[in-house]
Amino acid sequence: MSERGKKSERTRAKVFQTALGLFRERGFEQTTMREIAKGVGLSLGAAYHHFASKDALVLEYYRWMQSEHEARVERSAAEEPDESLRGRLARLLETKLELLSEDQRLLSALFRGLVDPEGPLSVFGEETQAIRERSQAQFEELFAELEVEPELRTLLGRATWGAHLGLFLFFVHDRSDDHARTRRLADELATLTATLVPFLGHPFAQPLTSRALGLARELGLLEQGGSQ
């Protein structure tokens, strides 16, 4: 990359970090692009050159959050290895909660856009597809060695990913100290999943898994990216 390109990347990163700081301090709706540009020392036009809108900044936040989550999971696995299904799922959930802990106010403001099927920030939208697939892949990897058919492993990963979205919704509304209720729920989710999933490989579970796979195919939940 040329020096000019590197400078542009540094400026873009500075715009994002400034915006994130203002979103956290003042709130998403209350922060304007003009204030973000002023915080960086840029003209409004120059700020728009890097990010066309506040929605574009939110998409960058999602990308940053996913990359940071992957990095934290990797560090945690190296520092405290636990190869059990429960331990690996707990690690995924705990590191995500740690990452989100200071952004409850921001995420509350963004929540409507996350669930709006027509919005650019929808968790199931085209704009977020690459981020969604990376996140789903983290959960699908949990079941990579489970002795069941590959399609069922994929469904388990995506179902667990969906459960983590429910955990996220609970977190947004959790006002307990240090989000203790959400952390308890995450711990129980990891325990219940690790306890029940191994039984899916037994012959007596075949009718249940076949029905679940059939329904998932019918609803499109096993299509690429888990799109609706």
Coordinates of all heavy atoms in Angstrom, one line a residue, residues 135-220:
S135 N -19.5 -15.0 12.2 CA -20.0 -15.3 13.5 C -20.6 -16.7 13.6 O -20.3 -17.5 14.5 CB -21.0 -14.3 14.0 OG -21.5 -14.5 15.3
Q136 N -21.4 -17.1 12.6 CA -22.0 -18.4 12.6 C -20.9 -19.5 12.5 O -21.0 -20.5 13.1 CB -22.9 -18.5 11.4 CG -24.2 -17.8 11.5 CD -25.1 -17.9 10.3 OE1 -24.6 -18.1 9.2 NE2 -26.4 -17.7 10.4
A137 N -19.9 -19.2 11.8 CA -18.8 -20.2 11.6 C -18.1 -20.5 13.0 O -17.7 -21.6 13.2 CB -17.7 -19.7 10.7
Q138 N -18.1 -19.5 13.9 CA -17.5 -19.7 15.2 C -18.3 -20.7 16.0 O -17.8 -21.6 16.6 CB -17.5 -18.4 16.0 CG -16.5 -17.4 15.5 CD -16.5 -16.1 16.4 OE1 -17.5 -15.3 16.3 NE2 -15.6 -16.0 17.3
F139 N -19.6 -20.6 15.8 CA -20.5 -21.6 16.5 C -20.6 -22.9 15.9 O -20.6 -24.0 16.5 CB -21.9 -21.0 16.7 CG -22.0 -19.8 17.7 CD1 -21.7 -18.5 17.3 CD2 -22.3 -20.1 19.0 CE1 -21.7 -17.5 18.2 CE2 -22.4 -19.1 19.9 CZ -22.1 -17.8 19.5
E140 N -20.5 -22.9 14.5 CA -20.5 -24.2 13.8 C -19.3 -25.0 14.1 O -19.3 -26.3 14.2 CB -20.7 -24.0 12.3 CG -22.0 -23.4 11.9 CD -22.1 -23.0 10.5 OE1 -21.3 -23.5 9.6 OE2 -23.0 -22.2 10.1
E141 N -18.2 -24.3 14.3 CA -16.9 -25.0 14.6 C -17.0 -25.8 16.0 O -16.3 -26.8 16.1 CB -15.8 -24.0 14.7 CG -14.4 -24.6 15.0 CD -13.9 -25.5 14.0 OE1 -14.4 -25.4 12.8 OE2 -13.1 -26.4 14.3
L142 N -17.9 -25.4 16.9 CA -18.0 -26.1 18.1 C -18.4 -27.6 17.9 O -18.1 -28.4 18.7 CB -19.1 -25.4 19.0 CG -18.9 -24.0 19.5 CD1 -20.1 -23.4 20.1 CD2 -17.7 -24.0 20.5
F143 N -19.2 -27.8 16.8 CA -19.7 -29.2 16.6 C -19.0 -29.9 15.5 O -19.5 -30.9 15.0 CB -21.2 -29.0 16.3 CG -22.0 -28.2 17.3 CD1 -22.3 -26.9 17.1 CD2 -22.4 -28.8 18.5 CE1 -23.0 -26.2 18.1 CE2 -23.1 -28.1 19.5 CZ -23.4 -26.8 19.3
A144 N -17.8 -29.4 15.1 CA -17.1 -30.0 14.0 C -16.8 -31.5 14.1 O -16.8 -32.2 13.1 CB -15.8 -29.2 13.7
E145 N -16.6 -31.9 15.4 CA -16.2 -33.3 15.6 C -17.3 -34.2 16.2 O -17.1 -35.3 16.5 CB -15.0 -33.4 16.5 CG -13.7 -32.7 15.9 CD -12.5 -32.8 16.8 OE1 -12.6 -33.5 17.9 OE2 -11.5 -32.2 16.5
L146 N -18.5 -33.6 16.2 CA -19.6 -34.4 16.7 C -20.0 -35.4 15.7 O -20.1 -35.2 14.5 CB -20.8 -33.4 17.0 CG -22.0 -34.0 17.7 CD1 -21.7 -34.4 19.1 CD2 -23.2 -33.0 17.6
E147 N -20.2 -36.7 16.2 CA -20.5 -37.8 15.2 C -21.9 -37.9 14.8 O -22.7 -38.7 15.2 CB -20.0 -39.1 15.9 CG -18.5 -39.1 16.1 CD -18.0 -40.5 16.7 OE1 -18.9 -41.4 16.9 OE2 -16.8 -40.6 16.9
V148 N -22.3 -36.9 14.0 CA -23.6 -36.8 13.4 C -23.4 -36.4 12.0 O -22.3 -36.0 11.6 CB -24.6 -35.9 14.1 CG1 -24.9 -36.4 15.6 CG2 -24.0 -34.5 14.2
E149 N -24.5 -36.4 11.2 CA -24.4 -36.0 9.8 C -24.0 -34.5 9.7 O -24.4 -33.7 10.5 CB -25.6 -36.3 9.0 CG -26.9 -35.7 9.6 CD -28.1 -36.2 8.9 OE1 -28.3 -35.8 7.7 OE2 -28.9 -36.9 9.5
P150 N -23.2 -34.2 8.7 CA -22.7 -32.8 8.6 C -23.8 -31.7 8.6 O -23.6 -30.7 9.2 CB -22.0 -32.8 7.2 CG -21.6 -34.2 7.0 CD -22.7 -35.0 7.6
E151 N -24.9 -32.0 8.0 CA -26.0 -31.0 7.9 C -26.5 -30.7 9.3 O -26.9 -29.6 9.7 CB -27.1 -31.5 7.0 CG -28.0 -30.3 6.5 CD -29.0 -30.8 5.5 OE1 -29.4 -32.0 5.5 OE2 -29.5 -30.0 4.7
L152 N -26.6 -31.7 10.2 CA -27.0 -31.5 11.6 C -26.0 -30.7 12.3 O -26.4 -29.9 13.2 CB -27.3 -32.9 12.2 CG -27.8 -32.8 13.7 CD1 -29.0 -32.0 13.8 CD2 -28.0 -34.2 14.2
R153 N -24.7 -30.9 12.1 CA -23.7 -30.1 12.7 C -23.9 -28.6 12.4 O -23.8 -27.7 13.2 CB -22.3 -30.6 12.4 CG -21.9 -31.9 13.0 CD -20.4 -32.1 12.9 NE -19.9 -32.2 11.6 CZ -19.7 -33.4 10.9 NH1 -20.0 -34.5 11.5 NH2 -19.3 -33.4 9.7
T154 N -24.2 -28.4 11.1 CA -24.4 -27.0 10.7 C -25.6 -26.4 11.4 O -25.6 -25.3 11.8 CB -24.6 -27.0 9.1 OG1 -23.5 -27.4 8.5 CG2 -24.9 -25.5 8.7
L155 N -26.7 -27.2 11.4 CA -27.9 -26.7 12.1 C -27.7 -26.4 13.5 O -28.2 -25.4 14.1 CB -29.1 -27.7 11.9 CG -30.4 -27.4 12.6 CD1 -30.9 -26.0 12.0 CD2 -31.4 -28.5 12.3
L156 N -26.9 -27.3 14.2 CA -26.6 -27.1 15.6 C -25.9 -25.8 15.8 O -26.1 -25.0 16.8 CB -25.8 -28.2 16.2 CG -26.6 -29.5 16.5 CD1 -25.7 -30.7 16.8 CD2 -27.6 -29.3 17.6
G157 N -24.9 -25.5 14.9 CA -24.1 -24.3 15.0 C -25.0 -23.1 14.9 O -24.9 -22.1 15.6
R158 N -25.9 -23.1 13.9 CA -26.7 -22.0 13.6 C -27.8 -21.8 14.7 O -28.2 -20.7 15.0 CB -27.3 -22.1 12.2 CG -26.2 -22.0 11.1 CD -26.8 -21.9 9.7 NE -25.6 -21.8 8.8 CZ -25.8 -21.8 7.5 NH1 -27.0 -21.9 7.0 NH2 -24.7 -21.7 6.7
A159 N -28.3 -22.9 15.2 CA -29.3 -22.8 16.3 C -28.6 -22.2 17.5 O -29.2 -21.4 18.2 CB -29.8 -24.2 16.6
T160 N -27.4 -22.6 17.8 CA -26.7 -22.0 19.0 C -26.4 -20.6 18.7 O -26.4 -19.7 19.7 CB -25.4 -22.8 19.2 OG1 -25.7 -24.2 19.3 CG2 -24.8 -22.4 20.6
W161 N -26.0 -20.2 17.5 CA -25.8 -18.8 17.1 C -27.1 -18.0 17.4 O -27.0 -16.9 17.9 CB -25.3 -18.7 15.7 CG -25.2 -17.3 15.2 CD1 -24.1 -16.5 15.3 CD2 -26.1 -16.6 14.4 NE1 -24.3 -15.3 14.7 CE2 -25.6 -15.3 14.1 CE3 -27.4 -16.9 13.9 CZ2 -26.2 -14.4 13.4 CZ3 -28.1 -15.9 13.1 CH2 -27.5 -14.7 12.9
G162 N -28.2 -18.6 17.0 CA -29.5 -17.9 17.2 C -29.8 -17.8 18.7 O -30.3 -16.7 19.1
A163 N -29.4 -18.8 19.5 CA -29.6 -18.6 20.9 C -28.8 -17.5 21.5 O -29.2 -16.8 22.4 CB -29.3 -20.0 21.6
H164 N -27.6 -17.3 20.9 CA -26.7 -16.2 21.4 C -27.3 -14.9 21.0 O -27.1 -13.9 21.7 CB -25.3 -16.5 20.8 CG -24.7 -15.4 20.0 ND1 -25.1 -15.2 18.7 CD2 -23.8 -14.4 20.3 CE1 -24.4 -14.2 18.2 NE2 -23.6 -13.7 19.1
L165 N -28.1 -14.8 20.0 CA -28.8 -13.5 19.7 C -29.9 -13.3 20.8 O -30.1 -12.1 21.1 CB -29.5 -13.6 18.3 CG -28.6 -13.7 17.1 CD1 -29.4 -13.7 15.8 CD2 -27.6 -12.5 17.1
G166 N -30.5 -14.3 21.2 CA -31.5 -14.2 22.3 C -30.8 -13.7 23.6 O -31.3 -12.9 24.3
L167 N -29.6 -14.2 23.8 CA -28.8 -13.8 25.0 C -28.5 -12.3 24.8 O -28.5 -11.6 25.8 CB -27.5 -14.6 25.0 CG -26.6 -14.4 26.2 CD1 -27.2 -14.9 27.5 CD2 -25.2 -15.1 26.0
F168 N -28.1 -11.9 23.6 CA -27.8 -10.5 23.3 C -29.0 -9.6 23.7 O -28.9 -8.6 24.3 CB -27.4 -10.3 21.9 CG -27.5 -8.9 21.3 CD1 -26.5 -8.1 21.6 CD2 -28.5 -8.5 20.5 CE1 -26.5 -6.8 21.2 CE2 -28.5 -7.2 20.1 CZ -27.5 -6.4 20.4
L169 N -30.3 -10.0 23.3 CA -31.5 -9.3 23.6 C -31.7 -9.2 25.1 O -32.0 -8.1 25.6 CB -32.7 -10.0 22.9 CG -34.1 -9.4 23.3 CD1 -34.1 -7.9 22.9 CD2 -35.2 -10.2 22.6
F170 N -31.4 -10.3 25.8 CA -31.5 -10.3 27.2 C -30.5 -9.3 27.8 O -30.9 -8.5 28.8 CB -31.3 -11.7 27.8 CG -31.6 -11.8 29.2 CD1 -32.9 -12.1 29.6 CD2 -30.6 -11.7 30.2 CE1 -33.2 -12.3 31.0 CE2 -30.9 -11.9 31.5 CZ -32.2 -12.2 31.9
F171 N -29.3 -9.3 27.3 CA -28.3 -8.4 27.8 C -28.7 -6.9 27.6 O -28.5 -6.1 28.5 CB -27.0 -8.6 27.0 CG -26.0 -7.5 27.1 CD1 -25.2 -7.4 28.2 CD2 -25.9 -6.6 26.1 CE1 -24.2 -6.4 28.3 CE2 -24.9 -5.5 26.1 CZ -24.1 -5.4 27.3
V172 N -29.3 -6.6 26.5 CA -29.7 -5.2 26.2 C -30.7 -4.7 27.3 O -30.6 -3.5 27.7 CB -30.4 -5.1 24.8 CG1 -31.1 -3.7 24.7 CG2 -29.3 -5.2 23.7
H173 N -31.5 -5.6 27.9 CA -32.5 -5.2 28.9 C -32.0 -5.5 30.3 O -32.8 -5.2 31.2 CB -33.8 -5.9 28.6 CG -34.5 -5.4 27.3 ND1 -34.2 -6.0 26.1 CD2 -35.4 -4.5 27.1 CE1 -34.9 -5.4 25.2 NE2 -35.7 -4.5 25.8
D174 N -30.8 -6.0 30.5 CA -30.4 -6.5 31.8 C -29.8 -5.3 32.5 O -28.8 -4.7 32.1 CB -29.3 -7.6 31.6 CG -28.8 -8.1 33.0 OD1 -29.4 -7.8 34.0 OD2 -27.9 -8.9 32.9
R175 N -30.3 -5.0 33.7 CA -29.8 -3.9 34.5 C -29.2 -4.4 35.8 O -29.0 -3.6 36.7 CB -31.0 -2.9 34.8 CG -31.5 -2.2 33.6 CD -30.5 -1.3 32.9 NE -31.0 -0.6 31.8 CZ -31.0 -1.0 30.5 NH1 -30.4 -2.2 30.3 NH2 -31.5 -0.3 29.6
S176 N -28.9 -5.7 35.9 CA -28.3 -6.2 37.1 C -26.8 -5.8 37.1 O -26.2 -5.5 36.1 CB -28.4 -7.7 37.1 OG -27.8 -8.3 36.0
D177 N -26.3 -5.8 38.3 CA -24.9 -5.4 38.5 C -23.9 -6.3 37.7 O -24.0 -7.5 37.8 CB -24.5 -5.5 40.0 CG -25.2 -4.4 40.9 OD1 -25.7 -3.4 40.3 OD2 -25.2 -4.6 42.1
D178 N -23.1 -5.7 36.9 CA -22.1 -6.4 36.1 C -22.8 -7.4 35.2 O -22.2 -8.4 34.8 CB -21.1 -7.1 37.0 CG -19.8 -7.5 36.2 OD1 -19.5 -6.9 35.2 OD2 -19.2 -8.5 36.5
H179 N -24.1 -7.1 34.8 CA -24.8 -8.0 34.0 C -24.8 -9.4 34.5 O -24.7 -10.4 33.7 CB -24.3 -7.9 32.5 CG -24.2 -6.5 32.0 ND1 -23.0 -5.9 31.8 CD2 -25.1 -5.6 31.7 CE1 -23.1 -4.7 31.4 NE2 -24.4 -4.4 31.3
A180 N -25.0 -9.6 35.8 CA -24.9 -10.9 36.4 C -26.0 -11.8 35.9 O -25.7 -13.0 35.7 CB -25.0 -10.7 37.9
R181 N -27.2 -11.3 35.6 CA -28.2 -12.2 35.1 C -27.9 -12.7 33.8 O -28.2 -13.9 33.5 CB -29.6 -11.4 35.1 CG -30.0 -11.0 36.5 CD -31.2 -10.1 36.5 NE -32.4 -10.8 35.9 CZ -33.2 -10.2 35.0 NH1 -33.0 -8.9 34.6 NH2 -34.3 -10.9 34.6
T182 N -27.4 -11.9 32.9 CA -27.0 -12.4 31.6 C -25.9 -13.4 31.6 O -25.9 -14.4 30.9 CB -26.6 -11.2 30.7 OG1 -27.6 -10.2 30.7 CG2 -26.3 -11.6 29.2
R183 N -24.9 -13.1 32.5 CA -23.8 -14.1 32.7 C -24.3 -15.4 33.2 O -23.8 -16.5 32.7 CB -22.7 -13.5 33.6 CG -22.0 -12.2 33.0 CD -21.0 -11.6 34.0 NE -20.5 -10.4 33.5 CZ -19.5 -10.3 32.6 NH1 -19.0 -11.4 32.1 NH2 -19.1 -9.1 32.2
R184 N -25.2 -15.4 34.1 CA -25.8 -16.6 34.6 C -26.5 -17.4 33.5 O -26.4 -18.6 33.3 CB -26.8 -16.3 35.7 CG -27.7 -17.5 36.2 CD -26.8 -18.6 36.8 NE -27.6 -19.8 37.1 CZ -28.4 -19.9 38.2 NH1 -28.5 -18.9 39.1 NH2 -29.1 -21.0 38.4
L185 N -27.3 -16.6 32.7 CA -28.0 -17.2 31.5 C -27.0 -17.9 30.5 O -27.2 -19.0 30.0 CB -28.9 -16.2 30.8 CG -29.7 -16.7 29.7 CD1 -30.7 -17.8 30.1 CD2 -30.5 -15.5 29.1
A186 N -25.9 -17.2 30.3 CA -24.9 -17.7 29.3 C -24.3 -19.0 29.9 O -24.1 -19.9 29.1 CB -23.8 -16.6 29.1
D187 N -24.0 -19.0 31.2 CA -23.5 -20.2 31.8 C -24.4 -21.4 31.7 O -24.0 -22.5 31.4 CB -23.1 -19.9 33.2 CG -22.4 -21.0 33.9 OD1 -21.2 -21.3 33.5 OD2 -22.9 -21.7 34.8
E188 N -25.7 -21.1 31.9 CA -26.7 -22.2 31.9 C -26.9 -22.7 30.4 O -27.1 -23.9 30.2 CB -28.0 -21.7 32.5 CG -28.0 -21.6 34.0 CD -27.7 -22.9 34.7 OE1 -28.2 -23.9 34.2 OE2 -27.0 -22.9 35.7
L189 N -26.8 -21.8 29.5 CA -26.9 -22.1 28.1 C -25.8 -23.1 27.7 O -26.0 -24.1 27.0 CB -26.9 -20.9 27.2 CG -27.0 -21.1 25.7 CD1 -28.2 -21.9 25.3 CD2 -26.9 -19.8 24.9
A190 N -24.6 -22.7 28.1 CA -23.5 -23.6 27.8 C -23.6 -25.0 28.4 O -23.3 -26.0 27.8 CB -22.2 -22.9 28.3
T191 N -24.1 -25.0 29.6 CA -24.2 -26.3 30.3 C -25.3 -27.2 29.7 O -25.1 -28.4 29.5 CB -24.5 -26.1 31.8 OG1 -23.5 -25.3 32.4 CG2 -24.8 -27.4 32.6
L192 N -26.5 -26.6 29.4 CA -27.6 -27.3 28.9 C -27.2 -27.8 27.5 O -27.5 -29.0 27.1 CB -28.8 -26.4 28.8 CG -29.5 -26.1 30.1 CD1 -30.6 -25.1 30.0 CD2 -30.1 -27.4 30.7
T193 N -26.6 -27.0 26.7 CA -26.2 -27.4 25.3 C -25.2 -28.6 25.4 O -25.4 -29.6 24.7 CB -25.5 -26.2 24.6 OG1 -26.5 -25.1 24.5 CG2 -25.1 -26.7 23.1
A194 N -24.2 -28.5 26.2 CA -23.2 -29.5 26.3 C -23.8 -30.8 26.9 O -23.3 -31.9 26.5 CB -22.0 -29.1 27.2
T195 N -24.8 -30.7 27.7 CA -25.5 -31.9 28.2 C -26.4 -32.6 27.2 O -26.4 -33.8 27.2 CB -26.3 -31.5 29.5 OG1 -25.4 -30.9 30.5 CG2 -27.0 -32.7 30.1
L196 N -27.1 -31.8 26.5 CA -28.1 -32.4 25.6 C -27.6 -32.8 24.2 O -28.0 -33.8 23.6 CB -29.3 -31.4 25.4 CG -30.1 -31.1 26.6 CD1 -31.1 -30.0 26.3 CD2 -30.8 -32.3 27.2
V197 N -26.7 -32.1 23.6 CA -26.2 -32.3 22.3 C -25.7 -33.7 22.0 O -26.0 -34.3 21.0 CB -25.2 -31.2 21.8 CG1 -24.4 -31.7 20.6 CG2 -25.9 -29.9 21.5
P198 N -24.8 -34.3 22.9 CA -24.3 -35.6 22.7 C -25.4 -36.7 22.4 O -25.2 -37.6 21.7 CB -23.5 -35.9 23.9 CG -23.1 -34.6 24.4 CD -24.3 -33.7 24.2
F199 N -26.6 -36.5 23.0 CA -27.6 -37.5 22.8 C -28.2 -37.5 21.4 O -28.8 -38.5 21.0 CB -28.8 -37.2 23.8 CG -28.4 -37.5 25.2 CD1 -28.1 -36.5 26.1 CD2 -28.4 -38.8 25.7 CE1 -27.8 -36.7 27.4 CE2 -28.1 -39.1 27.0 CZ -27.8 -38.1 27.9
L200 N -27.9 -36.4 20.6 CA -28.4 -36.4 19.3 C -27.8 -37.4 18.3 O -28.3 -37.7 17.3 CB -28.2 -35.0 18.7 CG -29.0 -33.8 19.4 CD1 -28.7 -32.5 18.8 CD2 -30.5 -34.1 19.4
G201 N -26.6 -37.9 18.8 CA -26.0 -38.9 18.0 C -26.5 -40.3 18.2 O -26.1 -41.3 17.5
H202 N -27.4 -40.5 19.1 CA -27.9 -41.8 19.4 C -29.1 -42.2 18.5 O -29.8 -41.3 18.1 CB -28.4 -41.9 20.9 CG -27.3 -41.9 21.9 ND1 -26.9 -43.1 22.6 CD2 -26.5 -40.9 22.3 CE1 -25.9 -42.8 23.4 NE2 -25.7 -41.5 23.3
P203 N -29.3 -43.5 18.2 CA -30.3 -43.9 17.3 C -31.7 -43.4 17.7 O -32.6 -43.1 16.9 CB -30.2 -45.4 17.2 CG -28.8 -45.7 17.6 CD -28.4 -44.6 18.5
F204 N -32.0 -43.4 19.0 CA -33.3 -43.0 19.5 C -33.7 -41.6 19.1 O -34.9 -41.2 19.1 CB -33.5 -43.3 21.0 CG -32.7 -42.4 21.9 CD1 -33.1 -41.1 22.1 CD2 -31.6 -42.9 22.5 CE1 -32.3 -40.3 22.9 CE2 -30.8 -42.1 23.3 CZ -31.2 -40.8 23.5
A205 N -32.7 -40.7 18.8 CA -32.9 -39.3 18.5 C -33.1 -39.1 17.0 O -33.4 -38.0 16.6 CB -31.8 -38.5 19.0
Q206 N -33.0 -40.2 16.2 CA -33.1 -40.0 14.8 C -34.4 -39.4 14.3 O -34.4 -38.5 13.4 CB -32.9 -41.4 14.1 CG -32.8 -41.3 12.6 CD -31.6 -40.5 12.1 OE1 -30.6 -40.5 12.6 NE2 -31.9 -39.6 11.1
P207 N -35.5 -39.8 14.8 CA -36.8 -39.2 14.3 C -36.8 -37.7 14.6 O -37.3 -36.9 13.8 CB -37.9 -39.9 15.1 CG -37.3 -41.2 15.5 CD -35.8 -40.9 15.7
L208 N -36.3 -37.3 15.8 CA -36.3 -35.9 16.2 C -35.3 -35.1 15.3 O -35.7 -34.0 14.8 CB -35.8 -35.7 17.6 CG -35.6 -34.3 18.1 CD1 -36.9 -33.6 18.1 CD2 -35.1 -34.3 19.6
T209 N -34.1 -35.6 15.0 CA -33.2 -34.9 14.2 C -33.6 -34.8 12.8 O -33.4 -33.8 12.1 CB -31.8 -35.5 14.3 OG1 -31.8 -36.9 13.9 CG2 -31.2 -35.4 15.7
S210 N -34.3 -35.9 12.3 CA -34.8 -35.9 10.9 C -35.9 -34.8 10.7 O -35.9 -34.1 9.7 CB -35.3 -37.2 10.5 OG -34.3 -38.2 10.5
R211 N -36.7 -34.7 11.7 CA -37.8 -33.7 11.7 C -37.2 -32.3 11.7 O -37.7 -31.4 11.0 CB -38.8 -33.9 12.8 CG -40.0 -33.0 12.8 CD -41.0 -33.4 13.7 NE -42.2 -32.5 13.6 CZ -43.4 -32.7 14.3 NH1 -43.5 -33.8 15.1 NH2 -44.4 -31.9 14.2
A212 N -36.2 -32.1 12.6 CA -35.6 -30.8 12.7 C -34.9 -30.4 11.4 O -35.0 -29.2 11.0 CB -34.6 -30.8 13.9
L213 N -34.2 -31.3 10.8 CA -33.5 -31.0 9.6 C -34.5 -30.7 8.5 O -34.3 -29.8 7.6 CB -32.6 -32.2 9.1 CG -31.3 -32.3 10.0 CD1 -30.7 -33.6 9.6 CD2 -30.4 -31.2 9.7
G214 N -35.6 -31.5 8.4 CA -36.6 -31.2 7.4 C -37.3 -29.8 7.5 O -37.4 -29.1 6.6
L215 N -37.6 -29.4 8.8 CA -38.1 -28.1 9.0 C -37.1 -27.0 8.7 O -37.5 -26.0 8.1 CB -38.5 -28.0 10.5 CG -39.1 -26.7 10.9 CD1 -40.4 -26.4 10.2 CD2 -39.4 -26.7 12.4
A216 N -35.9 -27.2 9.0 CA -34.8 -26.2 8.7 C -34.7 -26.0 7.2 O -34.5 -24.9 6.8 CB -33.5 -26.7 9.4
R217 N -34.7 -27.1 6.5 CA -34.6 -27.0 5.0 C -35.9 -26.2 4.5 O -35.7 -25.4 3.6 CB -34.6 -28.4 4.4 CG -33.3 -29.2 4.7 CD -33.2 -30.5 3.9 NE -32.3 -31.4 4.5 CZ -32.6 -32.5 5.2 NH1 -33.9 -32.7 5.4 NH2 -31.7 -33.3 5.7
E218 N -37.0 -26.6 5.0 CA -38.3 -25.9 4.5 C -38.2 -24.4 4.8 O -38.7 -23.6 4.0 CB -39.5 -26.6 5.2 CG -40.8 -26.0 4.9 CD -41.9 -26.6 5.6 OE1 -41.8 -27.7 6.2 OE2 -43.0 -26.0 5.7
L219 N -37.7 -24.0 5.9 CA -37.6 -22.6 6.3 C -36.4 -21.9 5.7 O -36.3 -20.7 5.9 CB -37.6 -22.5 7.9 CG -38.9 -23.0 8.6 CD1 -38.7 -22.9 10.1 CD2 -40.1 -22.3 8.1
G220 N -35.5 -22.6 5.1 CA -34.4 -22.0 4.5 C -33.3 -21.7 5.5 O -32.3 -20.9 5.2

